[in-house]
Amino acid sequence: MKNLILRTLSGILLIAAVVAALLLGKYFFCALMIVIMVCMMVEFFRMTMGSEYRFSQYLSMFAAATLFILTFLYMGFNLPGRLVMLAFIPIFLIMANSLYVKDKTDFGKFAFIYTALLYIAVPMTLTNFAVFRFIGQYDGMLLLCFFAIIWASDVGAYVFGITLGQKYGKKLFPAVSPKKSWIGFWGGFVLAVAVAAGLHYGGLFNYPLHHCLIMAALMNIAGVYGDLIESQWKRHYAIKDSGSVIPGHGGIWDRFDSALMAIPAGVIYLVVLNIL
């Protein structure tokens, strides 16, 4: 019970911070996303690389921040799109730096540098396309709706999984995450779709209802895969949480693992149908 209370309070504070940043404006959005992105990369590197090749880890985080900021400037301030290619420069420096590393005993770990960029930096950068519907015009409501759907999915899966999933039905993916159940999955799915409908009728999710429901369904499925992907990483390295920065929840990566897959799913859906 104590852990549940702690988990609830810290979750409320985290949600409040995200909501406040998205509503306060584009600079707060930018700062929050970069902090979340860098924290996830730090946790990923700590798990996979430890203190090895530390300079290259820093270069990778710098490359990620550069990619995000240049995309932010392109979407928010009409920076010429071709300048976004400058984000490749720090990536090139990472590649070049690998040649000068003297101790190459665990050189294969350099692959984690590029994995972090593709797995964490690119999805986080795509959030820019959710908050800028037109060049220079910021609106954090769509991304906030995306987060609401993701949070609803997580809450539904947790509540139904704990109360019913551990006793009834089959496990969702026992080889990767033994506690996740199909009942939890469907609980999260239903709540995510219900929240999307509520946001639509509340005038916050400004797309036709069928698009809102389809996005919620796709984001729920993508988010579950995002959660399972992180669980697979942690299971391989035999750790329970990616960090301890959020009491009762673990690390930043633990809380935003679903978003790494769910938000791109929502953005891609809107882009493909040309309704973003």
Coordinates of all heavy atoms in Angstrom, one line a residue, residues 148-192:
A148 N -1.8 11.5 -22.9 CA -3.0 11.1 -22.1 C -3.4 9.7 -22.5 O -3.8 8.8 -21.7 CB -4.2 12.0 -22.3
I149 N -3.3 9.4 -23.8 CA -3.7 8.0 -24.3 C -2.6 7.0 -23.8 O -3.0 5.9 -23.3 CB -3.7 8.0 -25.8 CG1 -4.9 8.8 -26.3 CG2 -3.7 6.6 -26.4 CD1 -4.9 9.1 -27.8
I150 N -1.4 7.4 -23.8 CA -0.3 6.5 -23.3 C -0.5 6.3 -21.8 O -0.4 5.1 -21.4 CB 1.1 7.1 -23.6 CG1 1.3 7.2 -25.1 CG2 2.2 6.3 -22.9 CD1 2.5 8.0 -25.5
W151 N -0.7 7.3 -21.1 CA -0.9 7.2 -19.6 C -2.1 6.3 -19.3 O -2.1 5.5 -18.4 CB -1.1 8.5 -19.0 CG 0.2 9.4 -19.0 CD1 1.5 8.9 -19.1 CD2 0.3 10.8 -19.1 NE1 2.4 9.9 -19.1 CE2 1.7 11.1 -19.1 CE3 -0.7 11.8 -19.1 CZ2 2.1 12.4 -19.2 CZ3 -0.2 13.1 -19.1 CH2 1.1 13.4 -19.2
A152 N -3.2 6.5 -20.1 CA -4.4 5.7 -19.9 C -4.1 4.2 -20.2 O -4.6 3.3 -19.4 CB -5.6 6.2 -20.8
S153 N -3.4 4.0 -21.2 CA -3.0 2.6 -21.5 C -2.2 2.0 -20.4 O -2.4 0.8 -20.0 CB -2.2 2.6 -22.8 OG -1.8 1.3 -23.1
D154 N -1.2 2.7 -19.9 CA -0.4 2.2 -18.8 C -1.2 1.9 -17.5 O -1.0 0.9 -16.9 CB 0.7 3.2 -18.5 CG 1.8 3.3 -19.6 OD1 1.8 2.3 -20.4 OD2 2.6 4.2 -19.6
V155 N -2.1 2.9 -17.2 CA -2.9 2.7 -16.0 C -3.9 1.6 -16.1 O -4.0 0.7 -15.2 CB -3.7 4.0 -15.7 CG1 -4.7 3.8 -14.6 CG2 -2.7 5.2 -15.3
G156 N -4.5 1.5 -17.3 CA -5.5 0.4 -17.5 C -4.8 -1.0 -17.4 O -5.3 -1.9 -16.8
A157 N -3.6 -1.1 -18.1 CA -2.8 -2.3 -18.1 C -2.4 -2.7 -16.6 O -2.5 -3.9 -16.2 CB -1.6 -2.2 -19.0
Y158 N -2.0 -1.7 -15.9 CA -1.5 -1.9 -14.5 C -2.7 -2.4 -13.6 O -2.5 -3.4 -12.9 CB -0.9 -0.6 -13.9 CG -0.4 -0.8 -12.5 CD1 0.8 -1.4 -12.3 CD2 -1.1 -0.3 -11.5 CE1 1.3 -1.6 -11.0 CE2 -0.6 -0.4 -10.2 CZ 0.6 -1.1 -9.9 OH 1.0 -1.2 -8.6
V159 N -3.8 -1.6 -13.6 CA -4.9 -1.9 -12.8 C -5.5 -3.3 -13.1 O -5.7 -4.1 -12.2 CB -6.0 -0.8 -12.8 CG1 -7.2 -1.2 -12.1 CG2 -5.4 0.5 -12.3
F160 N -5.8 -3.5 -14.3 CA -6.4 -4.8 -14.7 C -5.4 -6.0 -14.6 O -5.8 -7.1 -14.3 CB -7.0 -4.7 -16.1 CG -8.3 -4.0 -16.2 CD1 -8.3 -2.6 -16.4 CD2 -9.5 -4.7 -16.1 CE1 -9.5 -1.9 -16.5 CE2 -10.7 -4.0 -16.2 CZ -10.7 -2.6 -16.4
G161 N -4.2 -5.7 -14.9 CA -3.2 -6.7 -14.8 C -3.0 -7.2 -13.4 O -2.8 -8.4 -13.1
I162 N -2.9 -6.2 -12.4 CA -2.7 -6.5 -11.0 C -3.9 -7.2 -10.4 O -3.8 -8.2 -9.6 CB -2.4 -5.2 -10.2 CG1 -1.0 -4.8 -10.6 CG2 -2.5 -5.5 -8.7 CD1 0.1 -5.7 -10.1
T163 N -5.1 -6.7 -10.7 CA -6.3 -7.2 -10.1 C -6.8 -8.5 -10.7 O -7.3 -9.4 -10.0 CB -7.5 -6.2 -10.1 OG1 -7.7 -5.8 -11.5 CG2 -7.1 -4.9 -9.4
L164 N -6.7 -8.7 -12.0 CA -7.3 -9.9 -12.7 C -6.2 -10.7 -13.4 O -6.3 -11.9 -13.5 CB -8.4 -9.4 -13.6 CG -9.6 -8.7 -13.0 CD1 -10.5 -8.2 -14.1 CD2 -10.3 -9.7 -12.0
G165 N -5.3 -10.0 -14.0 CA -4.3 -10.7 -14.9 C -3.4 -11.7 -14.3 O -3.0 -12.6 -14.9
Q166 N -3.1 -11.5 -13.0 CA -2.2 -12.4 -12.3 C -3.0 -13.7 -11.9 O -2.3 -14.7 -11.6 CB -1.6 -11.7 -11.1 CG -0.9 -10.5 -11.4 CD 0.2 -10.7 -12.4 OE1 1.0 -11.6 -12.3 NE2 0.2 -9.8 -13.4
K167 N -4.3 -13.7 -11.9 CA -5.1 -14.8 -11.5 C -5.7 -15.6 -12.7 O -5.9 -16.8 -12.7 CB -6.2 -14.4 -10.5 CG -5.6 -13.8 -9.2 CD -6.7 -13.4 -8.3 CE -6.2 -12.8 -7.0 NZ -7.4 -12.4 -6.1
Y168 N -6.1 -14.8 -13.7 CA -6.9 -15.4 -14.8 C -6.2 -15.1 -16.1 O -5.5 -14.1 -16.3 CB -8.3 -14.8 -14.8 CG -9.0 -14.8 -13.5 CD1 -9.1 -13.7 -12.7 CD2 -9.6 -16.0 -13.0 CE1 -9.8 -13.7 -11.4 CE2 -10.2 -16.0 -11.7 CZ -10.3 -14.9 -11.0 OH -10.9 -14.9 -9.8
G169 N -6.5 -15.9 -17.1 CA -6.1 -15.7 -18.5 C -4.6 -16.0 -18.6 O -3.9 -16.5 -17.7
K170 N -4.1 -15.8 -19.9 CA -2.7 -16.1 -20.2 C -1.8 -14.9 -20.1 O -2.3 -13.7 -20.1 CB -2.7 -16.6 -21.6 CG -3.4 -18.0 -21.8 CD -3.3 -18.4 -23.3 CE -4.0 -19.8 -23.5 NZ -3.8 -20.3 -24.9
K171 N -0.6 -15.2 -20.0 CA 0.4 -14.1 -20.0 C 0.6 -13.5 -21.4 O 0.5 -14.3 -22.4 CB 1.8 -14.6 -19.4 CG 1.7 -15.1 -18.0 CD 1.2 -14.0 -17.0 CE 1.1 -14.5 -15.6 NZ 0.7 -13.4 -14.6
L172 N 1.0 -12.3 -21.4 CA 1.1 -11.6 -22.7 C 2.4 -12.0 -23.4 O 2.4 -12.4 -24.6 CB 1.1 -10.1 -22.6 CG 1.2 -9.2 -23.8 CD1 0.1 -9.5 -24.8 CD2 1.3 -7.8 -23.4
F173 N 3.5 -11.9 -22.7 CA 4.8 -12.2 -23.3 C 5.7 -12.7 -22.2 O 6.7 -12.0 -21.8 CB 5.4 -11.0 -23.9 CG 6.1 -11.2 -25.2 CD1 5.7 -10.6 -26.4 CD2 7.2 -12.0 -25.3 CE1 6.3 -10.8 -27.6 CE2 7.9 -12.3 -26.5 CZ 7.4 -11.6 -27.7
P174 N 5.5 -13.9 -21.6 CA 6.2 -14.4 -20.4 C 7.7 -14.5 -20.6 O 8.4 -14.3 -19.6 CB 5.5 -15.7 -20.2 CG 4.9 -16.2 -21.5 CD 4.5 -14.9 -22.1
A175 N 8.2 -14.7 -21.8 CA 9.6 -14.8 -22.0 C 10.3 -13.5 -21.7 O 11.5 -13.5 -21.4 CB 9.9 -15.4 -23.4
V176 N 9.6 -12.4 -21.9 CA 10.2 -11.1 -21.7 C 9.8 -10.4 -20.5 O 10.6 -9.8 -19.7 CB 9.9 -10.2 -23.0 CG1 10.4 -8.8 -22.7 CG2 10.5 -10.8 -24.2
S177 N 8.5 -10.4 -20.2 CA 7.9 -9.8 -19.0 C 6.9 -10.7 -18.4 O 5.7 -10.6 -18.8 CB 7.3 -8.4 -19.4 OG 6.9 -7.7 -18.3
P178 N 7.2 -11.5 -17.4 CA 6.4 -12.5 -16.8 C 5.1 -12.0 -16.2 O 4.1 -12.7 -16.1 CB 7.2 -13.2 -15.8 CG 8.6 -12.9 -16.2 CD 8.6 -11.5 -16.8
K179 N 5.0 -10.7 -15.8 CA 3.9 -10.2 -15.1 C 2.8 -9.6 -16.0 O 1.7 -9.4 -15.6 CB 4.3 -9.1 -14.1 CG 5.1 -9.7 -12.9 CD 5.3 -8.6 -11.9 CE 6.1 -9.1 -10.7 NZ 6.3 -8.1 -9.7
K180 N 3.2 -9.3 -17.3 CA 2.2 -8.7 -18.2 C 1.2 -9.8 -18.7 O 1.6 -10.9 -19.1 CB 2.9 -8.0 -19.3 CG 3.6 -6.8 -18.9 CD 4.3 -6.1 -20.1 CE 4.9 -4.8 -19.7 NZ 5.9 -4.9 -18.6
S181 N 0.0 -9.4 -18.7 CA -1.1 -10.4 -19.1 C -1.9 -9.8 -20.2 O -2.0 -8.6 -20.5 CB -2.0 -10.7 -17.9 OG -2.7 -9.5 -17.5
W182 N -2.7 -10.7 -20.8 CA -3.6 -10.3 -21.9 C -4.8 -9.5 -21.3 O -5.3 -8.6 -21.9 CB -4.2 -11.6 -22.6 CG -3.2 -12.0 -23.7 CD1 -2.4 -13.1 -23.7 CD2 -3.0 -11.4 -25.0 NE1 -1.7 -13.2 -24.9 CE2 -2.1 -12.2 -25.7 CE3 -3.6 -10.3 -25.6 CZ2 -1.6 -11.8 -27.0 CZ3 -3.1 -9.9 -26.9 CH2 -2.2 -10.7 -27.5
I183 N -5.2 -9.8 -20.1 CA -6.2 -9.1 -19.4 C -5.7 -7.6 -19.2 O -6.5 -6.7 -19.4 CB -6.6 -9.7 -18.1 CG1 -7.4 -11.0 -18.3 CG2 -7.5 -8.8 -17.3 CD1 -7.8 -11.8 -17.1
G184 N -4.5 -7.5 -18.8 CA -3.9 -6.2 -18.6 C -3.8 -5.4 -20.0 O -4.1 -4.2 -20.0
F185 N -3.5 -6.1 -21.0 CA -3.4 -5.5 -22.3 C -4.8 -5.0 -22.8 O -4.9 -3.8 -23.2 CB -2.9 -6.5 -23.4 CG -3.1 -6.1 -24.8 CD1 -2.2 -5.2 -25.4 CD2 -4.2 -6.5 -25.6 CE1 -2.4 -4.7 -26.7 CE2 -4.4 -6.0 -26.9 CZ -3.5 -5.2 -27.4
W186 N -5.8 -5.8 -22.6 CA -7.1 -5.4 -23.1 C -7.7 -4.3 -22.1 O -8.4 -3.4 -22.6 CB -8.1 -6.5 -23.1 CG -7.8 -7.4 -24.3 CD1 -7.4 -8.7 -24.3 CD2 -7.9 -7.1 -25.7 NE1 -7.2 -9.2 -25.6 CE2 -7.5 -8.2 -26.4 CE3 -8.3 -5.9 -26.3 CZ2 -7.6 -8.2 -27.8 CZ3 -8.3 -5.9 -27.7 CH2 -8.0 -7.0 -28.5
G187 N -7.3 -4.3 -20.9 CA -7.7 -3.2 -20.0 C -7.1 -1.9 -20.4 O -7.8 -0.9 -20.4
G188 N -5.8 -1.9 -20.7 CA -5.2 -0.7 -21.2 C -5.7 -0.3 -22.6 O -5.9 0.9 -22.8
F189 N -6.0 -1.2 -23.4 CA -6.6 -0.9 -24.8 C -7.9 -0.2 -24.6 O -8.1 0.9 -25.2 CB -6.7 -2.2 -25.6 CG -7.2 -2.0 -27.0 CD1 -6.3 -1.9 -28.0 CD2 -8.5 -1.9 -27.3 CE1 -6.7 -1.7 -29.3 CE2 -9.0 -1.7 -28.6 CZ -8.0 -1.6 -29.6
V190 N -8.8 -0.7 -23.8 CA -10.1 -0.2 -23.7 C -10.1 1.2 -23.0 O -10.7 2.2 -23.5 CB -11.0 -1.1 -22.8 CG1 -12.3 -0.4 -22.4 CG2 -11.3 -2.4 -23.6
L191 N -9.2 1.4 -22.0 CA -9.1 2.7 -21.4 C -8.5 3.7 -22.3 O -8.9 4.9 -22.3 CB -8.3 2.6 -20.1 CG -8.3 3.8 -19.2 CD1 -9.8 4.2 -18.8 CD2 -7.5 3.6 -17.9
A192 N -7.5 3.3 -23.1 CA -6.9 4.3 -24.0 C -7.9 4.7 -25.1 O -7.9 5.9 -25.4 CB -5.7 3.6 -24.7

